[in-house]
Amino acid sequence: MAQHIAQKLRLTAALLGTVARKDLAAAFRGVNPKTAFDLGRADKWLQGRAQPRELSVYDDWSKLLKLEQPGAWIAESDLSGFTAAICARHGIDRAELERRANAHFETAAGHEERSPGLALAGTYACYSSALSPYYRGQLIRGSLSIDVGPGANGLTAAYREALPTGQLLLGGQMTSAKRGLYAHLKEASGEAQFFLCLFPHSRPGSVLGGYLCGTTIIGPEPQPSLTRILMVRLRNPAPQAWGGYLPPDGSIAADLASLGLSVEQTEAVDRQLAQFLVGDSDGGASQIPPAEFRAIVDVFDRHWLSHSA
């Protein structure tokens, strides 16, 4: 007989750092894309009004927590034994885990809808095609920091590139809307301006992507330019000296590894990211196929979730 399911799910969410039901559902999909963990039914499970009936849910749960015990053990174990097992497996203090579960999970679910910007806050490693004609065909690396300020949608963004001519720093407001993310960034001590038009944010938010529009910074004359851009979320800020033009034979996967984000199948990831950034045109408007971006989201979401603990 399954017991203490609501409490076990809250402990699991606290361990993974997920802040809402849909985050928890995404974590289950990370270990099994066809998981029977259903977002709708999860509401009842977390409220203690129902329990998962499919054994596969518990099997996926065991994989998610990287436990040696089978899924059936998760269902049948007492709460004390379950808590002790996951604390021992992940090296976390029991009192701290219980504090997180009791203090944050339920309130964060409601807070998420009021403050979606909280999920965006952080630092991102950015990759886009170089706008300068002197570096045609190369990628340039930048860092984006998103902070939450006052107001209903008080998001501020700061974008930095390490150029041969010195640091380029632009900042401005970012708007999170139903159909996309937008930012108008201006150089405080100069005339440079960039505009970001990105795909809507999705949980857990491991990567952002879309277009960067601006004029060339380094070149004989300013040229209005448009390039695709990818922004991969980092767990720690990039060093101040990091950035600039990626060597022609440089690997994005290796570059991310230098920032503490190592992905598997690096060659395949490099090909996928390079294809996205280069893109193609059929003579019409420059548009990114959503499926192309979602394939990259899937790679980095899975990596993010697997390292959340």
Side-chain angles (χ1 to χ4, degrees):
M1 291 289 293
Q3 57 178 338
H4 309 298
I5 297 303
Q7 296 94 323
K8 292 174 181 176
L9 283 174
R10 291 171 186 170
L11 287 166
T12 299
L15 177 71
L16 298 177
T18 54
V19 296
R21 291 164 175 79
K22 60 182 180 181
D23 300 332
L24 193 57
F28 271 81
R29 289 196 301 274
V31 296
N32 180 8
K34 297 182 179 180
T35 184
F37 187 99
D38 178 76
L39 182 58
R41 288 182 293 173
D43 282 333
K44 294 182 179 180
W45 298 342
L46 282 158
Q47 293 167 12
R49 296 190 290 118
Q51 300 172 345
R53 296 182 179 180
E54 298 89 343
L55 181 59
S56 63
V57 171
Y58 300 102
D59 290 335
D60 293 340
W61 198 345
S62 179
K63 294 176 183 177
L64 179 63
L65 292 174
K66 301 178 182 178
L67 296 176
E68 297 179 356
Q69 294 90 336
W73 177 86
I74 292 182
E76 299 169 357
S77 61
D78 58 47
L79 188 58
S80 177
F82 175 82
T83 307
I86 63 174
C87 287
R89 178 67 180 85
H90 296 278
I92 185 171
D93 180 73
R94 177 170 182 158
E96 171 61 17
L97 180 61
E98 291 176 340
R99 184 194 66 80
R100 293 183 195 175
N102 293 332
H104 298 300
F105 184 70
E106 283 299 319
T107 55
H111 187 58
E112 173 194 5
E113 297 303 320
R114 298 191 299 273
S115 302
L118 290 174
L120 286 165
T123 304
Y124 300 78
C126 306
Y127 298 87
S128 60
S129 294
L131 303 186
S132 171
Y134 299 136
Y135 295 90
R136 185 74 65 201
Q138 288 184 236
L139 298 177
I140 188 167
R141 300 166 293 178
S143 63
L144 180 78
S145 297
I146 301 176
D147 293 313
V148 180
N153 191 33
L155 293 175
T156 59
Y159 178 74
R160 177 177 60 85
E161 288 181 352
L163 300 175
T165 53
Q167 292 279 337
L168 174 68
L169 180 62
L170 305 95
Q173 293 296 120
M174 173 170 274
T175 300
S176 175
K178 183 177 181 180
R179 302 187 68 84
L181 289 172
Y182 311 97
H184 186 190
L185 308 177
K186 300 179 181 180
E187 187 180 17
S189 57
E191 298 182 349
Q193 298 188 38
F194 286 158
F195 180 74
L196 296 174
C197 180
L198 309 175
F199 280 102
H201 169 262
S202 63
R203 294 283 186 163
S206 63
V207 62
L208 302 175
Y211 284 110
L212 178 149
C213 178
T215 57
T216 52
I217 304 299
I218 299 178
E221 58 185 6
Q223 295 176 264
S225 308
L226 179 72
T227 176
R228 293 187 181 193
I229 187 169
L230 273 176
M231 304 171 174
V232 182
R233 189 169 192 162
L234 302 174
R235 296 187 180 276
N236 298 296
Q240 188 72 18
W242 177 86
Y245 297 99
L246 192 69
D249 58 347
S251 162
I252 297 179
D255 195 54
L256 289 171
S258 71
L259 299 175
L261 198 157
S262 298
V263 296
E264 299 178 354
Q265 300 178 332
T266 56
E267 293 184 2
V269 170
D270 272 334
R271 287 194 298 269
Q272 185 179 17
L273 301 188
Q275 181 180 354
F276 175 88
L277 290 170
V278 172
D280 54 27
S281 175
D282 59 2
S286 294
Q287 294 177 323
I288 302 170
E292 190 175 331
F293 176 62
R294 293 304 171 198
I296 293 175
V297 172
D298 184 67
V299 171
F300 286 97
D301 274 2
R302 290 176 185 275
H303 181 276
W304 184 273
L305 291 168
S306 67
H307 290 76
S308 292

PDB file of all heavy atoms in Angstrom, residues 210-244:
ATOM      1  N   GLY A 210      16.594  32.867 -29.561  1.00  0.00           N
ATOM      2  CA  GLY A 210      15.810  33.707 -30.458  1.00  0.00           C
ATOM      3  C   GLY A 210      16.724  34.535 -31.329  1.00  0.00           C
ATOM      4  O   GLY A 210      17.701  34.037 -31.884  1.00  0.00           O
ATOM      5  N   TYR A 211      16.429  35.830 -31.420  1.00  0.00           N
ATOM      6  CA  TYR A 211      17.189  36.729 -32.287  1.00  0.00           C
ATOM      7  C   TYR A 211      17.781  37.896 -31.505  1.00  0.00           C
ATOM      8  O   TYR A 211      17.188  38.394 -30.540  1.00  0.00           O
ATOM      9  CB  TYR A 211      16.292  37.307 -33.382  1.00  0.00           C
ATOM     10  CG  TYR A 211      15.978  36.349 -34.507  1.00  0.00           C
ATOM     11  CD1 TYR A 211      14.700  35.832 -34.662  1.00  0.00           C
ATOM     12  CD2 TYR A 211      16.962  35.982 -35.420  1.00  0.00           C
ATOM     13  CE1 TYR A 211      14.407  34.966 -35.702  1.00  0.00           C
ATOM     14  CE2 TYR A 211      16.674  35.109 -36.455  1.00  0.00           C
ATOM     15  CZ  TYR A 211      15.398  34.602 -36.601  1.00  0.00           C
ATOM     16  OH  TYR A 211      15.114  33.739 -37.619  1.00  0.00           O
ATOM     17  N   LEU A 212      18.956  38.327 -31.957  1.00  0.00           N
ATOM     18  CA  LEU A 212      19.578  39.564 -31.512  1.00  0.00           C
ATOM     19  C   LEU A 212      19.662  40.480 -32.716  1.00  0.00           C
ATOM     20  O   LEU A 212      20.137  40.083 -33.779  1.00  0.00           O
ATOM     21  CB  LEU A 212      20.957  39.308 -30.919  1.00  0.00           C
ATOM     22  CG  LEU A 212      21.754  40.533 -30.447  1.00  0.00           C
ATOM     23  CD1 LEU A 212      22.660  40.159 -29.268  1.00  0.00           C
ATOM     24  CD2 LEU A 212      22.621  41.125 -31.570  1.00  0.00           C
ATOM     25  N   CYS A 213      19.208  41.717 -32.543  1.00  0.00           N
ATOM     26  CA  CYS A 213      19.231  42.706 -33.619  1.00  0.00           C
ATOM     27  C   CYS A 213      20.031  43.911 -33.157  1.00  0.00           C
ATOM     28  O   CYS A 213      19.856  44.392 -32.035  1.00  0.00           O
ATOM     29  CB  CYS A 213      17.805  43.116 -33.994  1.00  0.00           C
ATOM     30  SG  CYS A 213      17.703  44.368 -35.287  1.00  0.00           S
ATOM     31  N   GLY A 214      20.923  44.393 -34.022  1.00  0.00           N
ATOM     32  CA  GLY A 214      21.717  45.568 -33.687  1.00  0.00           C
ATOM     33  C   GLY A 214      22.581  45.965 -34.863  1.00  0.00           C
ATOM     34  O   GLY A 214      22.432  45.438 -35.971  1.00  0.00           O
ATOM     35  N   THR A 215      23.479  46.893 -34.642  1.00  0.00           N
ATOM     36  CA  THR A 215      24.429  47.283 -35.674  1.00  0.00           C
ATOM     37  C   THR A 215      25.824  46.817 -35.280  1.00  0.00           C
ATOM     38  O   THR A 215      26.106  46.572 -34.105  1.00  0.00           O
ATOM     39  CB  THR A 215      24.450  48.813 -35.865  1.00  0.00           C
ATOM     40  OG1 THR A 215      24.756  49.436 -34.616  1.00  0.00           O
ATOM     41  CG2 THR A 215      23.102  49.313 -36.357  1.00  0.00           C
ATOM     42  N   THR A 216      26.685  46.677 -36.263  1.00  0.00           N
ATOM     43  CA  THR A 216      28.050  46.207 -36.006  1.00  0.00           C
ATOM     44  C   THR A 216      28.768  47.185 -35.071  1.00  0.00           C
ATOM     45  O   THR A 216      28.596  48.403 -35.165  1.00  0.00           O
ATOM     46  CB  THR A 216      28.835  46.093 -37.323  1.00  0.00           C
ATOM     47  OG1 THR A 216      28.725  47.334 -38.043  1.00  0.00           O
ATOM     48  CG2 THR A 216      28.289  44.974 -38.182  1.00  0.00           C
ATOM     49  N   ILE A 217      29.574  46.610 -34.190  1.00  0.00           N
ATOM     50  CA  ILE A 217      30.355  47.414 -33.251  1.00  0.00           C
ATOM     51  C   ILE A 217      31.761  47.639 -33.790  1.00  0.00           C
ATOM     52  O   ILE A 217      32.317  48.737 -33.702  1.00  0.00           O
ATOM     53  CB  ILE A 217      30.415  46.726 -31.875  1.00  0.00           C
ATOM     54  CG1 ILE A 217      28.990  46.460 -31.340  1.00  0.00           C
ATOM     55  CG2 ILE A 217      31.210  47.568 -30.881  1.00  0.00           C
ATOM     56  CD1 ILE A 217      28.159  47.697 -31.144  1.00  0.00           C
ATOM     57  N   ILE A 218      32.350  46.583 -34.346  1.00  0.00           N
ATOM     58  CA  ILE A 218      33.703  46.673 -34.891  1.00  0.00           C
ATOM     59  C   ILE A 218      33.624  46.533 -36.412  1.00  0.00           C
ATOM     60  O   ILE A 218      33.230  45.479 -36.932  1.00  0.00           O
ATOM     61  CB  ILE A 218      34.605  45.567 -34.304  1.00  0.00           C
ATOM     62  CG1 ILE A 218      34.703  45.720 -32.791  1.00  0.00           C
ATOM     63  CG2 ILE A 218      35.988  45.624 -34.933  1.00  0.00           C
ATOM     64  CD1 ILE A 218      35.531  44.637 -32.130  1.00  0.00           C
ATOM     65  N   GLY A 219      33.971  47.575 -37.135  1.00  0.00           N
ATOM     66  CA  GLY A 219      33.904  47.549 -38.592  1.00  0.00           C
ATOM     67  C   GLY A 219      34.058  48.940 -39.155  1.00  0.00           C
ATOM     68  O   GLY A 219      33.963  49.938 -38.426  1.00  0.00           O
ATOM     69  N   PRO A 220      34.282  49.031 -40.479  1.00  0.00           N
ATOM     70  CA  PRO A 220      34.485  50.349 -41.097  1.00  0.00           C
ATOM     71  C   PRO A 220      33.240  51.219 -41.085  1.00  0.00           C
ATOM     72  O   PRO A 220      33.342  52.444 -41.153  1.00  0.00           O
ATOM     73  CB  PRO A 220      34.900  49.993 -42.529  1.00  0.00           C
ATOM     74  CG  PRO A 220      34.307  48.631 -42.766  1.00  0.00           C
ATOM     75  CD  PRO A 220      34.375  47.936 -41.450  1.00  0.00           C
ATOM     76  N   GLU A 221      32.060  50.625 -41.004  1.00  0.00           N
ATOM     77  CA  GLU A 221      30.827  51.393 -40.959  1.00  0.00           C
ATOM     78  C   GLU A 221      29.753  50.563 -40.264  1.00  0.00           C
ATOM     79  O   GLU A 221      29.791  49.332 -40.283  1.00  0.00           O
ATOM     80  CB  GLU A 221      30.372  51.765 -42.369  1.00  0.00           C
ATOM     81  CG  GLU A 221      30.158  50.570 -43.274  1.00  0.00           C
ATOM     82  CD  GLU A 221      29.832  50.989 -44.703  1.00  0.00           C
ATOM     83  OE1 GLU A 221      29.886  52.182 -45.001  1.00  0.00           O
ATOM     84  OE2 GLU A 221      29.522  50.102 -45.514  1.00  0.00           O
ATOM     85  N   PRO A 222      28.778  51.184 -39.626  1.00  0.00           N
ATOM     86  CA  PRO A 222      27.717  50.430 -38.953  1.00  0.00           C
ATOM     87  C   PRO A 222      26.808  49.751 -39.965  1.00  0.00           C
ATOM     88  O   PRO A 222      26.416  50.346 -40.967  1.00  0.00           O
ATOM     89  CB  PRO A 222      26.976  51.505 -38.164  1.00  0.00           C
ATOM     90  CG  PRO A 222      27.231  52.772 -38.912  1.00  0.00           C
ATOM     91  CD  PRO A 222      28.615  52.644 -39.466  1.00  0.00           C
ATOM     92  N   GLN A 223      26.485  48.494 -39.681  1.00  0.00           N
ATOM     93  CA  GLN A 223      25.598  47.729 -40.549  1.00  0.00           C
ATOM     94  C   GLN A 223      24.455  47.161 -39.726  1.00  0.00           C
ATOM     95  O   GLN A 223      24.689  46.424 -38.759  1.00  0.00           O
ATOM     96  CB  GLN A 223      26.358  46.563 -41.211  1.00  0.00           C
ATOM     97  CG  GLN A 223      27.455  46.970 -42.165  1.00  0.00           C
ATOM     98  CD  GLN A 223      28.188  45.739 -42.681  1.00  0.00           C
ATOM     99  OE1 GLN A 223      29.232  45.357 -42.146  1.00  0.00           O
ATOM    100  NE2 GLN A 223      27.639  45.114 -43.712  1.00  0.00           N
ATOM    101  N   PRO A 224      23.209  47.481 -40.067  1.00  0.00           N
ATOM    102  CA  PRO A 224      22.085  46.834 -39.383  1.00  0.00           C
ATOM    103  C   PRO A 224      22.186  45.328 -39.554  1.00  0.00           C
ATOM    104  O   PRO A 224      22.387  44.831 -40.668  1.00  0.00           O
ATOM    105  CB  PRO A 224      20.854  47.408 -40.095  1.00  0.00           C
ATOM    106  CG  PRO A 224      21.328  48.710 -40.669  1.00  0.00           C
ATOM    107  CD  PRO A 224      22.756  48.464 -41.065  1.00  0.00           C
ATOM    108  N   SER A 225      22.069  44.586 -38.452  1.00  0.00           N
ATOM    109  CA  SER A 225      22.346  43.150 -38.482  1.00  0.00           C
ATOM    110  C   SER A 225      21.339  42.380 -37.644  1.00  0.00           C
ATOM    111  O   SER A 225      20.768  42.903 -36.683  1.00  0.00           O
ATOM    112  CB  SER A 225      23.759  42.867 -37.953  1.00  0.00           C
ATOM    113  OG  SER A 225      24.730  43.649 -38.617  1.00  0.00           O
ATOM    114  N   LEU A 226      21.160  41.111 -38.011  1.00  0.00           N
ATOM    115  CA  LEU A 226      20.273  40.204 -37.296  1.00  0.00           C
ATOM    116  C   LEU A 226      20.951  38.857 -37.190  1.00  0.00           C
ATOM    117  O   LEU A 226      21.490  38.349 -38.181  1.00  0.00           O
ATOM    118  CB  LEU A 226      18.936  40.059 -38.037  1.00  0.00           C
ATOM    119  CG  LEU A 226      17.895  39.118 -37.411  1.00  0.00           C
ATOM    120  CD1 LEU A 226      17.317  39.743 -36.148  1.00  0.00           C
ATOM    121  CD2 LEU A 226      16.770  38.828 -38.407  1.00  0.00           C
ATOM    122  N   THR A 227      20.958  38.265 -36.000  1.00  0.00           N
ATOM    123  CA  THR A 227      21.571  36.955 -35.819  1.00  0.00           C
ATOM    124  C   THR A 227      20.785  36.138 -34.804  1.00  0.00           C
ATOM    125  O   THR A 227      20.153  36.693 -33.899  1.00  0.00           O
ATOM    126  CB  THR A 227      23.029  37.082 -35.331  1.00  0.00           C
ATOM    127  OG1 THR A 227      23.575  35.772 -35.076  1.00  0.00           O
ATOM    128  CG2 THR A 227      23.125  37.876 -34.041  1.00  0.00           C
ATOM    129  N   ARG A 228      20.813  34.852 -34.976  1.00  0.00           N
ATOM    130  CA  ARG A 228      20.247  33.984 -33.950  1.00  0.00           C
ATOM    131  C   ARG A 228      21.160  34.004 -32.734  1.00  0.00           C
ATOM    132  O   ARG A 228      22.375  34.211 -32.849  1.00  0.00           O
ATOM    133  CB  ARG A 228      20.124  32.545 -34.461  1.00  0.00           C
ATOM    134  CG  ARG A 228      19.114  32.360 -35.574  1.00  0.00           C
ATOM    135  CD  ARG A 228      18.933  30.883 -35.889  1.00  0.00           C
ATOM    136  NE  ARG A 228      17.977  30.657 -36.965  1.00  0.00           N
ATOM    137  CZ  ARG A 228      17.468  29.467 -37.259  1.00  0.00           C
ATOM    138  NH1 ARG A 228      17.834  28.396 -36.561  1.00  0.00           N
ATOM    139  NH2 ARG A 228      16.599  29.339 -38.243  1.00  0.00           N
ATOM    140  N   ILE A 229      20.574  33.772 -31.564  1.00  0.00           N
ATOM    141  CA  ILE A 229      21.355  33.754 -30.330  1.00  0.00           C
ATOM    142  C   ILE A 229      20.827  32.672 -29.402  1.00  0.00           C
ATOM    143  O   ILE A 229      19.613  32.437 -29.345  1.00  0.00           O
ATOM    144  CB  ILE A 229      21.322  35.135 -29.631  1.00  0.00           C
ATOM    145  CG1 ILE A 229      22.281  35.158 -28.431  1.00  0.00           C
ATOM    146  CG2 ILE A 229      19.911  35.531 -29.232  1.00  0.00           C
ATOM    147  CD1 ILE A 229      22.508  36.558 -27.868  1.00  0.00           C
ATOM    148  N   LEU A 230      21.749  31.977 -28.731  1.00  0.00           N
ATOM    149  CA  LEU A 230      21.422  30.989 -27.716  1.00  0.00           C
ATOM    150  C   LEU A 230      22.009  31.435 -26.387  1.00  0.00           C
ATOM    151  O   LEU A 230      23.146  31.913 -26.340  1.00  0.00           O
ATOM    152  CB  LEU A 230      21.980  29.612 -28.081  1.00  0.00           C
ATOM    153  CG  LEU A 230      21.135  28.705 -28.956  1.00  0.00           C
ATOM    154  CD1 LEU A 230      21.908  27.434 -29.289  1.00  0.00           C
ATOM    155  CD2 LEU A 230      19.816  28.353 -28.268  1.00  0.00           C
ATOM    156  N   MET A 231      21.249  31.251 -25.323  1.00  0.00           N
ATOM    157  CA  MET A 231      21.695  31.645 -23.991  1.00  0.00           C
ATOM    158  C   MET A 231      21.519  30.456 -23.059  1.00  0.00           C
ATOM    159  O   MET A 231      20.400  30.060 -22.751  1.00  0.00           O
ATOM    160  CB  MET A 231      20.863  32.835 -23.495  1.00  0.00           C
ATOM    161  CG  MET A 231      20.888  34.022 -24.445  1.00  0.00           C
ATOM    162  SD  MET A 231      19.705  35.290 -23.967  1.00  0.00           S
ATOM    163  CE  MET A 231      20.122  36.581 -25.146  1.00  0.00           C
ATOM    164  N   VAL A 232      22.620  29.882 -22.635  1.00  0.00           N
ATOM    165  CA  VAL A 232      22.606  28.688 -21.799  1.00  0.00           C
ATOM    166  C   VAL A 232      22.803  29.092 -20.347  1.00  0.00           C
ATOM    167  O   VAL A 232      23.777  29.778 -20.010  1.00  0.00           O
ATOM    168  CB  VAL A 232      23.705  27.692 -22.229  1.00  0.00           C
ATOM    169  CG1 VAL A 232      23.641  26.425 -21.371  1.00  0.00           C
ATOM    170  CG2 VAL A 232      23.556  27.341 -23.709  1.00  0.00           C
ATOM    171  N   ARG A 233      21.906  28.646 -19.505  1.00  0.00           N
ATOM    172  CA  ARG A 233      21.932  29.072 -18.100  1.00  0.00           C
ATOM    173  C   ARG A 233      23.099  28.421 -17.362  1.00  0.00           C
ATOM    174  O   ARG A 233      23.340  27.216 -17.485  1.00  0.00           O
ATOM    175  CB  ARG A 233      20.618  28.707 -17.422  1.00  0.00           C
ATOM    176  CG  ARG A 233      20.460  29.303 -16.040  1.00  0.00           C
ATOM    177  CD  ARG A 233      19.040  29.128 -15.554  1.00  0.00           C
ATOM    178  NE  ARG A 233      18.764  29.914 -14.376  1.00  0.00           N
ATOM    179  CZ  ARG A 233      17.549  30.208 -13.949  1.00  0.00           C
ATOM    180  NH1 ARG A 233      16.504  29.788 -14.619  1.00  0.00           N
ATOM    181  NH2 ARG A 233      17.367  30.917 -12.861  1.00  0.00           N
ATOM    182  N   LEU A 234      23.793  29.231 -16.560  1.00  0.00           N
ATOM    183  CA  LEU A 234      24.929  28.771 -15.770  1.00  0.00           C
ATOM    184  C   LEU A 234      24.551  28.711 -14.301  1.00  0.00           C
ATOM    185  O   LEU A 234      23.718  29.493 -13.829  1.00  0.00           O
ATOM    186  CB  LEU A 234      26.124  29.711 -15.951  1.00  0.00           C
ATOM    187  CG  LEU A 234      26.632  29.910 -17.377  1.00  0.00           C
ATOM    188  CD1 LEU A 234      27.725  30.979 -17.396  1.00  0.00           C
ATOM    189  CD2 LEU A 234      27.161  28.601 -17.961  1.00  0.00           C
ATOM    190  N   ARG A 235      25.176  27.805 -13.578  1.00  0.00           N
ATOM    191  CA  ARG A 235      24.941  27.734 -12.134  1.00  0.00           C
ATOM    192  C   ARG A 235      25.804  28.746 -11.389  1.00  0.00           C
ATOM    193  O   ARG A 235      25.472  29.151 -10.268  1.00  0.00           O
ATOM    194  CB  ARG A 235      25.217  26.317 -11.626  1.00  0.00           C
ATOM    195  CG  ARG A 235      24.249  25.293 -12.237  1.00  0.00           C
ATOM    196  CD  ARG A 235      24.392  23.925 -11.613  1.00  0.00           C
ATOM    197  NE  ARG A 235      23.459  22.987 -12.223  1.00  0.00           N
ATOM    198  CZ  ARG A 235      22.194  22.841 -11.862  1.00  0.00           C
ATOM    199  NH1 ARG A 235      21.712  23.570 -10.881  1.00  0.00           N
ATOM    200  NH2 ARG A 235      21.410  21.982 -12.476  1.00  0.00           N
ATOM    201  N   ASN A 236      26.903  29.144 -12.001  1.00  0.00           N
ATOM    202  CA  ASN A 236      27.779  30.153 -11.411  1.00  0.00           C
ATOM    203  C   ASN A 236      28.124  31.182 -12.483  1.00  0.00           C
ATOM    204  O   ASN A 236      28.252  30.832 -13.662  1.00  0.00           O
ATOM    205  CB  ASN A 236      29.066  29.517 -10.875  1.00  0.00           C
ATOM    206  CG  ASN A 236      28.790  28.521  -9.764  1.00  0.00           C
ATOM    207  OD1 ASN A 236      28.298  28.877  -8.702  1.00  0.00           O
ATOM    208  ND2 ASN A 236      29.105  27.257 -10.009  1.00  0.00           N
ATOM    209  N   PRO A 237      28.280  32.457 -12.109  1.00  0.00           N
ATOM    210  CA  PRO A 237      28.596  33.491 -13.101  1.00  0.00           C
ATOM    211  C   PRO A 237      29.895  33.181 -13.846  1.00  0.00           C
ATOM    212  O   PRO A 237      30.828  32.596 -13.286  1.00  0.00           O
ATOM    213  CB  PRO A 237      28.731  34.761 -12.246  1.00  0.00           C
ATOM    214  CG  PRO A 237      27.938  34.480 -11.021  1.00  0.00           C
ATOM    215  CD  PRO A 237      28.100  33.017 -10.755  1.00  0.00           C
ATOM    216  N   ALA A 238      29.953  33.584 -15.110  1.00  0.00           N
ATOM    217  CA  ALA A 238      31.167  33.405 -15.899  1.00  0.00           C
ATOM    218  C   ALA A 238      32.242  34.363 -15.402  1.00  0.00           C
ATOM    219  O   ALA A 238      31.936  35.474 -14.948  1.00  0.00           O
ATOM    220  CB  ALA A 238      30.869  33.663 -17.370  1.00  0.00           C
ATOM    221  N   PRO A 239      33.513  33.960 -15.460  1.00  0.00           N
ATOM    222  CA  PRO A 239      34.593  34.865 -15.056  1.00  0.00           C
ATOM    223  C   PRO A 239      34.553  36.154 -15.868  1.00  0.00           C
ATOM    224  O   PRO A 239      34.121  36.162 -17.032  1.00  0.00           O
ATOM    225  CB  PRO A 239      35.862  34.047 -15.351  1.00  0.00           C
ATOM    226  CG  PRO A 239      35.408  32.618 -15.341  1.00  0.00           C
ATOM    227  CD  PRO A 239      34.009  32.634 -15.874  1.00  0.00           C
ATOM    228  N   GLN A 240      35.019  37.239 -15.295  1.00  0.00           N
ATOM    229  CA  GLN A 240      34.981  38.536 -15.957  1.00  0.00           C
ATOM    230  C   GLN A 240      35.728  38.518 -17.281  1.00  0.00           C
ATOM    231  O   GLN A 240      35.334  39.181 -18.252  1.00  0.00           O
ATOM    232  CB  GLN A 240      35.575  39.604 -15.033  1.00  0.00           C
ATOM    233  CG  GLN A 240      35.429  41.030 -15.539  1.00  0.00           C
ATOM    234  CD  GLN A 240      34.000  41.547 -15.465  1.00  0.00           C
ATOM    235  OE1 GLN A 240      33.192  40.985 -14.742  1.00  0.00           O
ATOM    236  NE2 GLN A 240      33.704  42.612 -16.206  1.00  0.00           N
ATOM    237  N   ALA A 241      36.819  37.753 -17.346  1.00  0.00           N
ATOM    238  CA  ALA A 241      37.644  37.729 -18.560  1.00  0.00           C
ATOM    239  C   ALA A 241      37.094  36.796 -19.635  1.00  0.00           C
ATOM    240  O   ALA A 241      37.597  36.781 -20.760  1.00  0.00           O
ATOM    241  CB  ALA A 241      39.075  37.313 -18.197  1.00  0.00           C
ATOM    242  N   TRP A 242      36.073  36.012 -19.293  1.00  0.00           N
ATOM    243  CA  TRP A 242      35.528  35.062 -20.273  1.00  0.00           C
ATOM    244  C   TRP A 242      34.734  35.797 -21.335  1.00  0.00           C
ATOM    245  O   TRP A 242      34.089  36.814 -21.067  1.00  0.00           O
ATOM    246  CB  TRP A 242      34.622  34.057 -19.573  1.00  0.00           C
ATOM    247  CG  TRP A 242      33.972  33.080 -20.528  1.00  0.00           C
ATOM    248  CD1 TRP A 242      34.484  31.907 -20.983  1.00  0.00           C
ATOM    249  CD2 TRP A 242      32.689  33.214 -21.136  1.00  0.00           C
ATOM    250  NE1 TRP A 242      33.601  31.302 -21.846  1.00  0.00           N
ATOM    251  CE2 TRP A 242      32.497  32.080 -21.960  1.00  0.00           C
ATOM    252  CE3 TRP A 242      31.685  34.179 -21.083  1.00  0.00           C
ATOM    253  CZ2 TRP A 242      31.329  31.901 -22.709  1.00  0.00           C
ATOM    254  CZ3 TRP A 242      30.529  34.011 -21.836  1.00  0.00           C
ATOM    255  CH2 TRP A 242      30.364  32.869 -22.636  1.00  0.00           C
ATOM    256  N   GLY A 243      34.763  35.255 -22.550  1.00  0.00           N
ATOM    257  CA  GLY A 243      33.944  35.823 -23.613  1.00  0.00           C
ATOM    258  C   GLY A 243      34.774  36.113 -24.844  1.00  0.00           C
ATOM    259  O   GLY A 243      35.894  35.635 -25.006  1.00  0.00           O
ATOM    260  N   GLY A 244      34.220  36.909 -25.716  1.00  0.00           N
ATOM    261  CA  GLY A 244      34.912  37.246 -26.946  1.00  0.00           C
ATOM    262  C   GLY A 244      34.637  36.247 -28.058  1.00  0.00           C
ATOM    263  O   GLY A 244      33.741  35.399 -27.962  1.00  0.00           O
TER     264      GLY A 244
END
